Amino acid sequence: MSRVVISTQGLGFDRDRRVILSDVELAIRAAEIVAILGANGAGKSTLLRLMLKLLRPARGSVSLYGMPLAAMRRRDIAAAVAYVPQHHTPPFPYTVAQVAGLGRLVTSGLLKLPGARDEKRVQAVLERLGIAHLAQRDYTGISGGERQLVLIARALVQGARILLMDEPDVGLDYGNQRRLLDLMRALAAEGHTIVFTTHHPDHTLYAADRAVLIDGGKILADGA
């Protein structure tokens, strides 16, 4: 059985004195695709943000490769885990290639200009996702579905082996949804671990190894 790469122990989170997540116990293994399945407002996005240390738990803890996430530096977390949010608005008018290239900041740092190796990696990822023709386009001027693919490209450029994807199919047409799900399978075959949130049971059935069903902030079911 493959190694557990990220896990939660009795995880809970409150907002405005309202319980959002309660006693969440999860163990995600290497090269596994896990769908966090539930309706809007079930707590799916909150769970991902806790697994990224973007939120602080009210109760319980998260571990990354057996280490307490609370004790880890953000840079070390980013080297291991990449995040694909539902929405993103850059602070400057970046091109598609520049947004994807932000994934290299984890290794290069803020003050180092991207080199030829970084640019080559960005180009290869954009080609793999079928959006290389958008490389010099203004990121804010392309469609919502195209922006979502760029965010996925940024995560792949980052080089992390764990991908946390918050409803990555948002804004994608049917063809690109299928290509995304096929990409997930290909990445898992290459050793990536993928956790994605969704409210589409058909996407879960098509792409995931496991489904974790969440409702009202609690896990109702977890299995194949």
Side-chain angles (χ1 to χ4, degrees), residues 31-53:
E32 185 176 37
I33 303 178
V34 178
I36 309 297
L37 180 64
N40 289 334
K44 306 186 301 297
S45 297
T46 299
L47 176 57
L48 290 194
R49 292 174 69 81
L50 287 164
M51 293 166 79
L52 287 153
K53 200 182 174 181

Side-chain angles (χ1 to χ4, degrees), residues 131-150:
I131 54 174
H133 63 288
L134 300 174
Q136 300 309 314
R137 291 275 303 276
D138 181 349
Y139 173 78
T140 59
I142 61 179
S143 72
E146 289 168 336
R147 287 197 298 271
Q148 195 66 8
L149 292 173
V150 176

Side-chain angles (χ1 to χ4, degrees), residues 41 110-111 125 129 148 160 172 215:
L110 286 170
L111 301 180
V125 170
L129 293 179
Q148 195 66 8
L172 299 183
D215 186 49

Side-chain angles (χ1 to χ4, degrees), residues 33 128 175-188 206-207:
I33 303 178
R128 182 172 191 179
N176 278 321
Q177 287 178 13
R178 287 295 296 267
R179 279 187 280 275
L180 171 63
L181 297 174
D182 288 337
L183 174 66
M184 288 183 186
R185 298 300 316 173
L187 290 171
Y206 184 82

